[in-house]
Amino acid sequence: MELHRRTISNPLRSSKPAGKFSTETDSASAVQASDALPLPIRHTNKLFSALFMVSIYYLMCRWRDKIRTTTPLHVVTLSEISAIVGFIASLIYLISFFGIAYVQSFISSHDDDDEFLLPSNPPAPCPLVCSEKPPLPAAPLSGDDEEIVSAVVSGKIPSYILESRLGDCRRAAGIRREAISRITGRGMEGLPLDGFDYDSILGQCCEMPVGYVQLPVGIAGPLLLNGKEYFVPMATTEGCLVASTNRGCKAIAASDGAVSVVLKDGMTRAPVVRFATAKRAAELKFFLEDPRNFETLAIVFDRSSRFAKLQGIKCSLAGRNLYMRFCCRTGDAMGMNMVSKGVQNVLDCLQNDFPDMDVISISGNFCSDKKPAAVNWIEGRGKSVVCEAIIKGEIVKKVLKTSVSALVELNVIKNLAGSAVAGALGGFNAHASNIVTAIYIATGQDPAQNVESSHCITMMEAVNDNNDLHISVTMPSIEVGTVGGGTQLASQSACLNLLGVKGANLDSPGANSRLLATIVAASVLAGELSLMSALAAGQLVKSHMKFNRSSRDMSKSLPSDA
Ligand code: ADP
């Protein structure tokens, strides 16, 4: 870390153009030679390690034979030449890979995001469990299940160590579940235990599991968006929701489809730091917002990951406290971890130039994550998306059972004026969060981010001589990823696959998550269209009674146009 600080902190003070430093540091932190190899890095590592061992063993044997038979050492056979070449190649590879990585680990403890330095799913830090308890010895637990359950019930064995000490996640979940049942005196029969891969969530998605909750997944679609059809998975227990969204999709498809554009793509994290005086806090604000410093700060920030690209820093003061909202691209990841690591890199670096800076928290709520906040509504967070469609007047009548003028009027009175009366913050819509949350759960997004992801203004206008309806949704803070977090799990990953956005986009990192954001917006548009039509036609209560109260087969109850 010191090494980086020295090379970076001087340019920050100097008046030299930042571009010079960008070139130097780019090459220093450049991608390793191993990146160019066609095989996954773990395979090339194994290959070159094996080549190294075999060639060195063979050469030593040949050396011993030559000494025994007094053959001159410089007389070499073809196989010996091959072994020498193999030895040199593997030695160069191993030194360049492990040597550099080893040195880097001393230079910067924050450059560890890339897959070849960490397991492919790096475990998220777990302050509740890990920081409070000292690590326990990893000796495996002995005894049968009954003995271990009793020990957990009596408190001799903490429940949270079961996975690591048993080395069997399914067994750990079963034992914990039985112990909880005994402690509470309540069974968990309805909560399934089997049929889930507990290894896949270890250190990543959920601690101390005892089972999993089942949620139905329905499909709305085809959703015709930017000329392509998508079948949208929605996990929900709200009757009508999928059927209604499906009806909206039908109206969109019958009207030449929706068009969606990503306006902005940047995840944010805003640490808060404190100085002795507001004047000093203001000095740092001016420093951070000076365009001449940006390039150098971006280099420091972007070391957090190959995919991190700092876009901007917005500062705000509250007395001597400074809030710095860093915004960065995060490839196909939703990116909270990535942006937090980048922020930490910059804070470490700034400490050199501002030693009186007191870092209060890596998150100072100006980010703002999972809380309603005007900053996200105005500035955007994650993907800012607009989506529109022109619904033909005849489709409004035939499929949506209402009229263009009724929809336009209702939208003004309810979504615009009504929300203004309510003092809404980003809530100028009918039910965006219904669709956002159902898709988030199905595709492994963080459902708590539905708060800002559901910010949406729905606009409706009569066009083409008042015959057709122009509808749009503008959503500034859709926070989605197709790698990391819950997206890796089997069910969620299957839903992403259905949409054609599973995992990382290798050709254009970030393209999968941006496409997912446009699908979310277009699905919201379908949901808005259908619910607003139901309200305009006075159908809402009727339809809820039909779908939510009936014990009959829902598919048979669907109206013919649904
Ligand atoms: P999140 O914060 O959304 O949980 P992380 O910031 O933890 O996600 O990072 C995702 C991980 O996936 C990183 O280790 C990153 O190197 C890796 N990764 C692989 N391919 C991509 C990609 N195309 N875009 C973003 N991250 C990727």
Side-chain angles (χ1 to χ4, degrees):
M1 181 52 79
E2 269 311 301
L3 204 61
H4 280 276
R5 277 190 189 157
R6 278 193 204 110
T7 46
I8 297 303
S9 65
N10 291 339
L12 288 177
R13 284 195 178 124
S14 82
S15 57
K16 287 176 193 171
K20 179 171 187 289
F21 300 102
S22 92
T23 326
E24 285 168 3
T25 318
D26 271 348
S27 56
S29 65
V31 186
Q32 298 182 15
S34 52
D35 286 7
L37 293 167
L39 282 173
I41 202 71
R42 59 182 182 285
H43 293 160
T44 40
N45 280 348
K46 281 182 198 152
L47 194 75
F48 277 99
S49 301
L51 182 63
F52 178 78
M53 298 304 289
V54 169
S55 52
I56 202 164
Y57 176 75
Y58 178 77
L59 288 173
M60 286 177 80
C61 290
R62 293 296 308 135
W63 188 24
R64 193 187 54 190
D65 289 347
K66 283 185 179 182
I67 288 170
R68 272 195 198 142
T69 56
T70 58
T71 312
L73 283 178
H74 60 271
V75 179
V76 284
T77 63
L78 197 60
S79 54
E80 285 165 354
I81 292 174
S82 312
I84 291 168
V85 170
F87 169 73
I88 293 171
S90 56
L91 189 67
I92 290 172
Y93 174 86
L94 293 173
I95 287 176
S96 77
F97 182 79
F98 289 109
I100 288 171
Y102 184 69
V103 170
Q104 275 180 340
S105 72
F106 282 98
I107 294 169
S108 168
S109 58
H110 300 290
D111 297 1
D112 54 6
D113 192 33
D114 288 326
E115 300 92 314
F116 50 83
L117 295 179
L118 282 180
S120 58
N121 294 330
C126 172
L128 273 181
V129 176
C130 311
S131 63
E132 288 175 7
K133 312 263 179 191
L136 287 155
L141 285 175
S142 56
D144 61 15
D145 285 8
E146 182 50 42
E147 283 165 358
I148 301 174
V149 168
S150 305
V152 173
V153 170
S154 67
K156 281 189 202 131
I157 295 179
S159 167
Y160 67 85
I161 64 157
L162 288 173
E163 276 77 5
S164 61
R165 299 282 292 277
L166 288 171
D168 179 343
C169 294
R170 158 64 185 78
R171 189 176 166 214
I175 288 175
R176 178 178 299 113
R177 180 189 172 97
E178 181 56 29
I180 298 287
S181 286
R182 289 192 199 172
I183 291 166
T184 60
R186 295 178 193 279
M188 282 183 259
E189 288 77 29
L191 186 74
L193 172 65
D194 285 316
F196 190 80
D197 178 8
Y198 291 95
D199 290 327
S200 67
I201 57 169
L202 183 67
Q204 172 86 4
C205 293
C206 179
E207 300 76 39
M208 296 190 278
V210 292
Y212 59 98
V213 167
Q214 293 169 300
L215 271 180
V217 175
I219 298 288
L223 170 70
L224 185 56
L225 170 65
N226 294 336
K228 284 194 184 151
E229 286 189 343
Y230 300 94
F231 288 88
V232 184
M234 300 173 72
T236 181
T237 53
E238 182 177 344
C240 274
L241 182 58
V242 182
S244 176
T245 312
N246 194 50
R247 181 170 81 145
C249 290
K250 184 175 176 181
I252 292 170
S255 304
D256 299 334
V259 174
S260 188
V261 181
V262 176
L263 305 167
K264 199 170 157 190
D265 180 5
M267 181 42 71
T268 63
R269 174 57 90 202
V272 53
V273 297
R274 190 168 55 191
F275 288 88
T277 61
K279 183 169 174 285
R280 276 296 282 162
E283 276 170 23
L284 178 53
K285 172 181 158 67
F286 296 137
F287 176 86
L288 290 170
E289 290 180 346
D290 186 337
R292 285 170 304 175
N293 294 328
F294 181 78
E295 206 167 328
T296 315
L297 290 165
I299 291 164
V300 176
F301 184 100
D302 293 352
R303 284 204 199 108
S304 67
S305 167
R306 289 178 288 159
F307 303 99
K309 294 275 167 293
L310 184 66
Q311 292 178 319
I313 310 166
K314 207 170 196 61
C315 297
S316 199
L317 255 77
R320 58 198 184 106
N321 300 304
L322 175 67
Y323 301 81
M324 311 170 253
R325 193 172 189 261
F326 290 80
C327 181
C328 96
R329 282 208 174 201
T330 56
D332 287 306
M334 181 275 288
M336 282 309 300
N337 288 335
M338 205 181 278
V339 68
S340 300
K341 286 180 194 171
V343 165
Q344 189 60 55
N345 286 352
V346 173
L347 290 177
D348 290 344
C349 177
L350 286 174
Q351 202 86 61
N352 255 15
D353 296 81
F354 293 84
D356 52 337
M357 176 181 84
D358 188 8
V359 178
I360 303 294
S361 168
I362 183 94
S363 166
N365 275 13
F366 185 41
C367 319
S368 177
D369 195 38
K370 304 174 184 175
K371 293 162 282 283
V375 69
N376 293 335
W377 173 236
I378 297 164
E379 292 287 327
R381 188 168 198 257
K383 277 82 178 154
S384 304
V385 181
V386 65
C387 182
E388 67 184 337
I390 294 177
I391 311 297
K392 292 182 189 119
E394 76 212 53
I395 302 297
V396 173
K397 274 199 204 100
K398 211 169 126 210
V399 177
L400 301 171
K401 307 280 189 260
T402 185
S403 65
V404 171
S405 59
L407 277 173
V408 171
E409 188 183 11
L410 177 64
N411 193 62
V412 170
I413 295 174
K414 174 186 161 62
N415 285 346
L416 306 183
S419 299
V421 168
L425 177 57
F428 299 91
N429 59 78
H431 71 149
S433 77
N434 257 336
I435 290 92
V436 168
T437 310
I439 299 177
Y440 272 31
I441 295 173
T443 58
Q445 309 306 314
D446 187 337
Q449 289 183 323
N450 82 82
V451 176
E452 57 271 32
S453 295
S454 301
H455 284 172
C456 168
I457 183 163
T458 300
M459 301 290 291
M460 292 191 193
E461 288 166 78
V463 292
N464 301 336
D465 291 332
N466 294 336
N467 287 323
D468 302 333
L469 175 78
H470 182 277
I471 175 173
S472 68
V473 292
T474 309
M475 304 180 68
S477 311
I478 300 182
E479 295 158 347
V480 287
T482 58
V483 297
T487 63
Q488 326 283 358
L489 303 179
S491 319
Q492 289 82 340
S493 164
C495 290
L496 287 170
N497 193 38
L498 178 70
L499 292 171
V501 294
K502 180 179 157 184
N505 188 309
L506 301 178
D507 300 328
S508 166
N512 279 0
S513 61
R514 282 194 290 275
L515 176 55
L516 179 58
T518 61
I519 293 171
V520 170
S523 307
V524 167
L525 189 136
E528 290 289 279
L529 198 53
S530 184
L531 176 59
M532 290 294 283
S533 301
L535 288 169
Q539 287 173 354
L540 185 71
V541 176
K542 231 166 43 191
S543 136
H544 267 270
M545 291 303 289
K546 191 171 177 183
F547 286 115
N548 284 349
R549 301 288 162 84
S550 170
S551 56
R552 286 178 298 131
D553 177 1
M554 293 303 177
S555 63
K556 302 218 168 60
S557 306
L558 285 172
S560 57
D561 64 339

